[in-house]
Amino acid sequence: MRLRIWTTLFLVTIAQFAWGQTSTNPKLVNAEATSPEPSANSYAVLGATPEQEALVRAQIRVMQPDVYPLRVLFVPHWKYIYTARTFRLHVPAGYTSAMFTHLPSRSVFIDSDRYVSDDSLGYWVAHELGHLAANSVSESDADKAARQYRKRLNDARRRNLH
């Protein structure tokens, strides 16, 4: 089972990188000049538009989470459904899920086809970061941890309006 989960995660991650490799120029790039220094709060954002990536990074920077994700993946709906099934995501009856967190890999998966607005993205990313902070799959634990993140987002939004 673990092998299947890690294999799926690996394939999803590799597919994101493979789609981005469209250059036909075989010239090598200097890795020292292009790769940032790794840090405790560095993470990859994959599959997002440049605007979505900038927005999610800005929101996470404002939230200052206790635990950062290792990767945030924007995936099409079909891949989101497949990944959720692979990880056996439990969604209570009558609810839907536009994003989820896989705790062992510290990965946040976002259904890019159900991305609604910038405000809802921040609201639900705060919830997913709450899962990481609480290190729990419990929705109530995640909401409790997300309160301070949402407060920081709202405070920053108010400051920018004035």
Side-chain angles (χ1 to χ4, degrees), residues 43-112:
Y43 54 92
V45 178
L46 306 169
T49 65
E51 296 82 15
Q52 289 171 330
E53 180 176 357
L55 177 64
V56 79
R57 285 186 182 279
Q59 289 175 335
I60 291 174
R61 186 173 37 256
V62 167
M63 287 186 255
Q64 302 171 2
D66 298 329
V67 179
Y68 284 80
L70 290 179
R71 63 197 61 77
V72 177
L73 298 106
F74 284 77
V75 295
H77 185 68
W78 69 268
K79 189 181 288 186
Y80 180 87
I81 296 296
Y82 177 77
T83 307
R85 283 186 186 146
T86 301
F87 290 142
R88 296 185 180 182
L89 176 66
H90 171 71
V91 179
Y95 288 85
T96 60
S97 171
M99 59 183 74
F100 73 92
T101 299
H102 181 248
L103 289 175
S105 66
R106 288 179 35 207
S107 299
V108 176
F109 291 85
I110 300 173
D111 186 341
S112 58

Side-chain angles (χ1 to χ4, degrees), residues 6 9 13-14 27 36 44 53 73 84 102-103 141 151 162:
W6 284 108
L9 184 60
T13 304
I14 285 297
K27 187 162 80 171
E53 180 176 357
L73 298 106
H102 181 248
L103 289 175
D141 291 347
K151 183 180 180 330
H162 297 302

Side-chain angles (χ1 to χ4, degrees), residues 11 22 27 29 42 51 66 89 102 107 120 129 132 135:
L11 292 175
T22 57
K27 187 162 80 171
V29 177
S42 66
E51 296 82 15
D66 298 329
L89 176 66
H102 181 248
S107 299
S120 70
L129 294 176
L132 292 173
N135 194 26

